Amino acid sequence: MKLSLLLWLTTLMPQPVADQACLATTVYLEARSQTTIGQLAVAEVALRRRDRGHYGDTVCKVVTAPHQFATTTTSGSFEISNLPAFVKAWDVAGNSIHNWQLPLAQRRMLVPHADHFATTAISPSWSHNRPSVTIGDHAFYAVN
């Protein structure tokens, strides 16, 4: 399925399903080659951003905010073709959303306070002088 079609379909879905689909798509695009822990950390950043409201009040709005996640930096013609990886991303997204619905004290957090991440191969200007946690190929930062 093409990325553009999948994102369009989320506009027709009930919000809870759309949010899981948007989060799964983000996990797939950003971290499908990473461990489950790395994928959960990516999902955690998106959910934290939703809670803070800086990028939108739904997961779909957060992950489609311009230049924030791979959903907007990847061509709409990109083919989501690795079904096992997408199924895993779907499960990670669902588990993350469920975890995030728990009271704050009961949530399992892998990257507390992190609201940004980047591949370890680059060093974005916003990452300088900020502590980070590295999981797989991603460094996670508390920027805001």
Side-chain angles (χ1 to χ4, degrees):
M1 177 179 298
K2 293 202 181 304
L3 174 61
S4 59
L5 176 60
L6 179 55
L7 292 176
W8 175 78
L9 286 171
T10 65
T11 67
L12 306 176
M13 298 173 183
Q15 198 60 57
V17 178
D19 279 347
Q20 185 169 354
C22 286
L23 190 57
T25 302
T26 301
V27 168
Y28 178 89
L29 293 173
E30 298 279 6
R32 69 183 170 277
S33 66
Q34 301 299 302
T35 64
T36 301
I37 298 296
Q39 291 183 1
L40 288 165
V42 166
E44 183 178 318
V45 167
L47 291 167
R48 184 169 290 111
R49 283 186 177 197
R50 186 211 46 203
D51 283 1
R52 292 182 180 171
H54 295 301
Y55 298 94
D57 59 356
T58 68
V59 173
C60 289
K61 287 179 184 175
V62 167
V63 301
T64 59
H67 310 291
Q68 297 301 309
F69 289 93
T71 53
T72 64
T73 60
T74 303
S75 169
S77 64
F78 179 83
E79 195 73 36
I80 296 175
S81 58
N82 184 335
L83 186 57
F86 191 81
V87 168
K88 181 179 178 184
W90 182 266
D91 289 343
V92 165
N95 290 335
S96 296
I97 290 169
H98 174 74
N99 177 57
W100 216 252
Q101 291 169 338
L102 296 172
L104 185 59
Q106 294 177 18
R107 288 182 197 163
R108 178 176 177 221
M109 289 192 228
L110 300 167
V111 287
H113 311 292
D115 53 13
H116 286 69
F117 63 89
T119 176
T120 54
I122 64 170
S123 181
S125 59
W126 48 259
S127 70
H128 297 264
N129 300 319
R130 302 214 186 260
S132 66
V133 173
T134 300
I135 300 174
D137 293 339
H138 290 104
F140 296 84
Y141 304 88
V143 175
N144 295 320

